[in-house]
Amino acid sequence: MTQAPARSRTVRRRHDREIVALALPAFGALVAEPLFVMADSAIVGHLGTAQLAGLGIASALLTTAVSIFVFLAYATTAAVARRVGAGDLPSAIRQGMDGIWLALLLGAAVIAVFLPLAPALVDLFGASGTAAPYAVTYLRISAFGIPAMLVVLAASGILRGLQDTRTPLYVAIAGFVANGLLNVGLVYGAGLGIAGSAWGTVIAQCGMAAVYLGVVVRGARKHGASLRPDAAGIRASAQAGVPLLVRTLSLRAILMIATAVAARLGDADIAAHQIILSLWSLLAFALDAIAIAGQAIIGRYLGAGDGQGAREACRRMVHWGIAVGMLLGLLVVLARPAFLPLFTSDSAVRNAALPALVIVAASQPICGVVFVLDGVLMGAGDGPYLAWAMLITLAVFTPAALLVPSVGGGLTALWGAMTLMMTMRMLTLWLRTRSGRWIVTGAAA
């Protein structure tokens, strides 16, 4: 009678240790990434308003370009973790190398687009005549760092699949420090201005990619995995990434629609929306860390042929997602009075943001479930379902958001629509995980 509860507690403790060991370093690495932009902004901001405005436009373009290809990390994590679970480390690393070669090809393609089209892309953002030259300069130089950033995505996916989230954390911290020192030295020491900031970031990114490649190459040699490009493997990596690309683009469309609707509501509402969106993104890092742990753990269990273990791990991670979501929601409610003054002294902006923040706080447990189940299905290699689910969610969210200006409710109603979006995602993901169709065991999904 007591054996079953005792075994259940032992299993929960084992899963808890795995989740914490993977999620905490992953969270640190995720938080370190946006610090690159913050450091650049702090350094360039002292050059002048036009330079800072140019940096903001170029950074938005660069961030969008890199985020579109985040599937390089997600798909690689799942594929590598499955082969780790199957006990085939040479195949796991070989699969990861295919992702790195794909990253290099995509990076070259992005450079080919950004270099000649930089002025036109900057114009699309409505840059002023004074800011545009700085944006073009920063964008063209920084484009050379995009292949390195995509390699970082793919290589971090390899290490996560190998159940190693500590190395990406150390590389991210070292990259942040190097970026700051290089920026200061090149911007002010060498007198290169905003071009120095761009070159400093490119050098730091290339350094991070070199460290990752060193780790992967060492592992490949140790386990006898080939480092040469394989057309079939690269093609398979690209095919696995297409559904995740659709998912990512659908999510980006949702965020763009929300921002466009907020802009229709008035200056105070769009300002409040940007503040809330920045907080929402920060909260997402904590939840995404659990999702990354889910990708690695679920892929390993399924690769080992342990469907029951994958179910148990999924169930435990959902509990973690809900608990962390509740904690984050409570922190949002308690921190509201101190948080908003950091961004604005405008009472109209604060009044618009306060009730919307309550909606954000209340939705965090839902977000926790969504991020966890998203990670579980990614780890299972269930990309096609994730793509269709996000397209359905986009179809539900779009009319609800577009109705906000006409039905009233302001920013609170818009974030109600955002919560509807997350609830829709939770429903579609829950139905899939409950069905068990994602449990496909073996070295390949």
Side-chain angles (χ1 to χ4, degrees):
M1 293 289 291
T2 60
Q3 289 182 347
R7 178 189 177 280
S8 179
R9 285 194 298 271
T10 301
V11 170
R12 286 199 301 270
R13 283 197 294 268
R14 185 178 75 247
H15 287 316
D16 289 344
R17 286 194 297 270
E18 284 186 327
I19 293 167
V20 171
L22 290 171
L24 281 181
F27 174 68
L30 288 170
V31 170
E33 291 175 10
L35 291 179
F36 269 76
V37 177
M38 291 180 63
D40 287 3
S41 299
I43 293 167
V44 171
H46 292 285
L47 294 174
T49 301
Q51 289 91 332
L52 184 58
L55 172 66
I57 293 167
S59 294
L61 286 163
L62 291 163
T63 301
T64 299
V66 173
S67 65
I68 286 173
F69 299 116
V70 73
F71 68 82
L72 289 166
Y74 295 158
T76 303
T77 298
V80 171
R82 274 185 174 271
R83 286 157 179 79
V84 168
D88 189 355
L89 285 178
S91 178
I93 296 174
R94 172 66 262 178
Q95 182 75 29
M97 282 304 305
D98 293 334
I100 288 177
W101 284 111
L102 176 61
L104 289 170
L105 291 173
L106 292 172
V110 174
I111 289 178
V113 171
F114 271 22
L115 288 183
L117 296 181
L121 292 171
V122 168
D123 285 343
L124 285 176
F125 273 69
S128 67
T130 54
Y134 296 112
V136 171
T137 296
Y138 192 92
L139 183 59
R140 280 180 166 160
I141 296 172
S142 296
F144 291 104
I146 288 180
M149 285 305 296
L150 298 189
V151 167
V152 167
L153 286 176
S156 63
I158 296 175
L159 296 180
R160 291 170 184 173
L162 293 171
Q163 318 296 295
D164 176 12
T165 56
R166 289 183 179 272
T167 300
L169 171 60
Y170 300 148
V171 174
I173 292 173
F176 170 69
V177 173
N179 178 65
L181 294 175
L182 285 165
N183 269 256
V184 171
L186 294 174
V187 171
Y188 297 110
L192 296 180
I194 195 169
S197 176
W199 280 119
T201 301
V202 168
I203 294 169
Q205 291 166 343
C206 290
M208 292 170 65
V211 172
Y212 272 119
L213 288 174
V215 173
V216 173
V217 168
R218 187 165 60 248
R221 288 175 175 169
K222 178 180 178 181
H223 297 287
S226 174
L227 297 172
R228 294 179 179 178
D230 176 66
I234 295 172
R235 188 164 53 250
S237 293
Q239 290 172 346
V242 168
L244 296 180
L245 175 61
V246 172
R247 167 200 168 276
T248 300
L249 290 174
S250 299
L251 182 56
R252 298 294 298 187
I254 287 171
L255 297 178
M256 289 175 64
I257 290 169
T259 299
V261 170
R264 289 190 191 180
L265 299 176
D267 290 346
D269 288 286
I270 184 61
H273 176 73
Q274 289 303 112
I275 294 171
I276 296 172
L277 191 60
S278 66
L279 174 63
W280 194 72
S281 299
L282 179 63
L283 297 174
F285 285 132
L287 299 173
D288 203 25
I290 305 174
I292 288 171
Q295 294 170 31
I297 293 170
I298 295 299
R300 192 189 74 231
Y301 273 113
L302 294 178
D306 188 357
Q308 181 58 32
R311 279 187 181 277
E312 292 173 349
C314 173
R315 189 178 303 115
R316 191 58 182 165
M317 278 184 284
V318 168
H319 294 160
W320 270 86
I322 294 172
V324 173
M326 292 176 66
L327 176 61
L328 292 175
L330 180 62
L331 289 175
V332 170
V333 171
L334 295 177
R336 280 188 309 158
F339 172 74
L340 287 174
L342 295 176
F343 291 88
T344 181
S345 58
D346 190 327
S347 60
V349 175
R350 292 188 191 183
N351 291 337
L354 279 171
L357 279 173
V358 174
I359 301 293
V360 171
S363 69
Q364 287 309 297
I366 297 173
C367 294
V369 175
V370 168
F371 275 83
V372 166
L373 295 183
D374 206 39
V376 166
L377 295 184
M378 282 185 190
D382 205 10
Y385 181 84
L386 289 172
W388 282 110
M390 188 59 79
L391 287 171
I392 292 171
T393 301
L394 175 61
V396 171
F397 170 78
T398 301
L402 294 179
L403 282 173
V404 168
S406 59
V407 300
L411 196 63
T412 303
L414 177 59
W415 277 93
M418 289 287 285
T419 301
L420 171 65
M421 178 269 293
M422 293 302 290
T423 303
M424 188 67 192
R425 288 187 69 188
M426 182 178 69
L427 177 62
T428 56
L429 297 174
W430 176 76
L431 289 173
R432 184 64 168 182
T433 51
R434 187 184 182 192
S435 72
R437 294 177 184 174
W438 56 280
I439 302 178
V440 180
T441 58

